[in-house]
Amino acid sequence: MSAGTGVELDRLWVRFGEFVAVREASVKIGGGAFFSFLGPSGCGKTTILRTVSGFQDPSEGRVLIGNRDMAGIGPNRRPTALIFQNLALFPLMRVWENITFAMEVKGASKAERRKRADELLELIALTGQGDKFPSELSGGQRQRVAVARALCAEPDVLLLDEPLSALDLKLRQHMRTELRAIQQRVGITFIYITHDQGEALTMSDQVAVMREGVIEQVADGRTIYDDPATTFVASFVGENNCFTGRVARIAGGQALVETPCGMLPARISPTMPGELAKGDEAMVFIRPEVISVQAPKRGQQAGAGFDGVIEEEEFEGPNCHLFVRAPDDRQVKVSLVNRGHGERSAPGVKLRLSYEPTRAIALPKGKLAAD
Ligand code: ATP
């Protein structure tokens, strides 16, 4: 298996008649990286994966694998393997036969196939389970067999199309760790598509967030979460409270935005393309876990924040979420860590909500994930 084959999309467009599924997507995926495309249903993720695998031709632009232009190269001649949502293991074949099915088609001997199957079973941590039938495995184990079957063809790039979506939540979370471990063991490039941000953030070296055919941001998970480049990314990844207003002042890398909840200071996102200037319409994003609460004080309040009234409390064990009615009549979510004091926040109680401005993000007004 040759490690480190990079993939590049170079100004890629895919149109279906009048409809644009992928709009000028450019991205360089490093060799040996775990790279995810994350976005809501219909944003063009599968279409991108299909152009990389060769099942879909670009309308414009290029796909390069290992610096080689893939134009005119069919799916079976590309150094890629694809794993779908529906694994479709052959139920009447044993696990080892499933894994090495492609070798059998090519006429490899049984001894060769058995040897290769044993190597791959070790890789997916199913040593000694080759003689079982798929029905004798758990959902997660079957998923790993599907990965081993795809790796049997020794691809340079493994393409995974929401492979965990059919599994239940616990198993899905467990498989994230497993898939990441397998990827690190084989060292080849994994391109993963998902609408599940938890999956994308936990497994990937880099994530591309997509909206309506456009790649809005490419970065590591922490940057995507802490420094979103667009209002869509800020509202799609994780939870966020969004306040719309107008920039009153820019100073020291921060914007002071006049909103119906008062003047809200926030850091200007360092990843945002373009600039934010005084007088611009802007959105301030404050995540629920960034807000702290205190009893309101009389008179002028120091620091960033505003007053509100508790409407609802949602106790979750490790966290407690408060839904607070803000001065502009919107509901703001606050997530507090349960520190075990047994304190309760009753509906109707007035609170001061405050936050550290460097942990809030200001961006030019734009579309939200809910729009
Ligand atoms: P999902 O998460 O639901 O699979 P996706 O992000 O993978 O969504 P795509 O399958 O890439 O989205 O589809 C992007 C858009 O292109 C969708 O609006 C879809 O209806 C459209 N589309 C995809 N394939 C075709 C096709 N062969 N002909 C016409 N339209 C298509």
Side-chain angles (χ1 to χ4, degrees):
M1 245 169 266
S2 68
T5 301
V7 175
E8 183 179 352
L9 308 182
D10 176 27
R11 285 163 291 161
L12 184 77
W13 289 75
V14 181
R15 296 188 189 87
F16 297 111
E18 294 287 292
F19 181 77
V20 180
V22 178
R23 187 179 294 270
E24 206 174 352
S26 289
V27 63
K28 284 187 180 164
I29 300 170
F34 197 124
F35 190 98
S36 294
F37 286 93
L38 169 69
S41 181
C43 71
K45 308 179 294 289
T46 304
T47 305
I48 285 196
L49 212 65
R50 287 170 55 82
T51 56
V52 176
S53 63
F55 289 104
Q56 172 70 51
D57 286 330
S59 309
E60 275 177 56
R62 299 184 303 164
V63 173
L64 297 106
I65 302 181
N67 293 322
R68 196 164 151 228
D69 190 344
M70 289 289 120
I73 299 178
N76 50 8
R77 291 175 44 228
R78 295 194 182 189
T80 54
L82 187 57
I83 299 183
F84 297 100
Q85 291 174 16
N86 304 329
L87 327 163
L89 294 180
F90 303 115
L92 300 179
M93 283 187 191
R94 294 181 190 277
V95 163
W96 78 269
E97 294 168 317
N98 261 288
I99 292 176
T100 57
F101 180 69
M103 291 175 75
E104 186 179 3
V105 174
K106 286 186 185 157
S109 72
K110 186 172 173 187
E112 270 178 280
R113 285 187 286 132
R114 200 69 230 215
K115 183 166 170 286
R116 182 79 181 121
D118 287 344
E119 286 167 12
L120 286 162
L121 283 165
E122 193 183 332
L123 180 79
I124 58 165
L126 282 181
T127 306
Q129 313 250 17
D131 284 320
K132 287 189 171 170
F133 288 98
S135 60
E136 296 172 299
L137 299 179
S138 72
Q141 289 171 334
R142 280 202 290 274
Q143 203 71 37
R144 273 139 62 191
V145 172
V147 172
R149 186 173 61 178
L151 291 174
C152 185
E154 301 197 351
D156 292 333
V157 180
L158 187 63
L159 308 171
L160 302 103
D161 186 350
E162 308 229 16
L164 307 185
S165 59
L167 305 179
D168 68 47
L169 180 68
K170 267 243 155 73
L171 199 49
R172 229 162 48 218
Q173 288 174 339
H174 175 66
M175 278 302 293
R176 291 173 186 173
T177 324
E178 295 277 344
L179 268 183
R180 179 68 175 157
I182 292 170
Q183 189 265 341
Q184 287 182 332
R185 262 177 256 147
V186 286
I188 64 166
T189 311
F190 274 36
I191 303 181
Y192 192 93
I193 66 170
T194 182
H195 61 270
D196 182 326
Q197 45 180 291
E199 276 178 18
L201 297 190
T202 48
M203 291 192 287
S204 319
D205 296 304
Q206 295 263 293
V207 180
V209 184
M210 290 188 71
R211 181 181 75 88
E212 294 178 5
V214 175
I215 296 177
E216 295 226 341
Q217 186 172 11
V218 181
D220 62 280
R222 197 173 279 271
T223 303
I224 295 274
Y225 191 83
D226 288 339
D227 297 319
T230 67
T231 53
F232 172 78
V233 176
S235 55
F236 182 71
V237 180
E239 288 186 276
N240 238 326
N241 297 296
C242 170
F243 303 85
T244 305
R246 212 168 267 285
V247 177
R249 187 152 49 93
I250 300 270
Q254 290 190 7
L256 191 63
V257 182
E258 186 171 10
T259 76
C261 288
M263 286 287 189
L264 300 181
R267 190 161 60 96
I268 296 171
S269 179
T271 58
M272 123 192 140
E275 296 210 337
L276 205 52
K278 185 176 171 184
D280 286 353
E281 280 195 293
M283 286 173 162
V284 171
F285 291 90
I286 314 175
R287 293 204 183 272
E289 70 272 20
V290 164
I291 302 175
S292 58
V293 295
Q294 302 86 33
K297 293 195 190 94
R298 280 179 193 282
Q300 190 73 24
Q301 302 285 345
F306 50 88
D307 292 344
V309 178
I310 299 178
E311 286 202 326
E312 250 180 88
E313 184 197 45
E314 195 181 276
F315 180 73
E316 205 189 45
N319 297 303
C320 179
H321 309 288
L322 301 181
F323 297 89
V324 179
R325 189 63 57 187
D328 64 348
D329 212 30
R330 73 160 66 228
Q331 219 180 36
V332 172
K333 183 170 180 180
V334 180
S335 297
L336 305 171
V337 174
N338 174 11
R339 298 200 190 280
H341 303 315
E343 62 203 69
R344 294 189 57 117
S345 322
V349 169
K350 280 194 185 155
L351 289 175
R352 170 79 181 166
L353 275 56
S354 45
Y355 66 96
E356 174 55 49
T358 54
R359 300 225 36 216
I361 284 287
L363 287 161
K365 190 179 173 193
K367 282 208 183 279
L368 299 177
D371 290 347

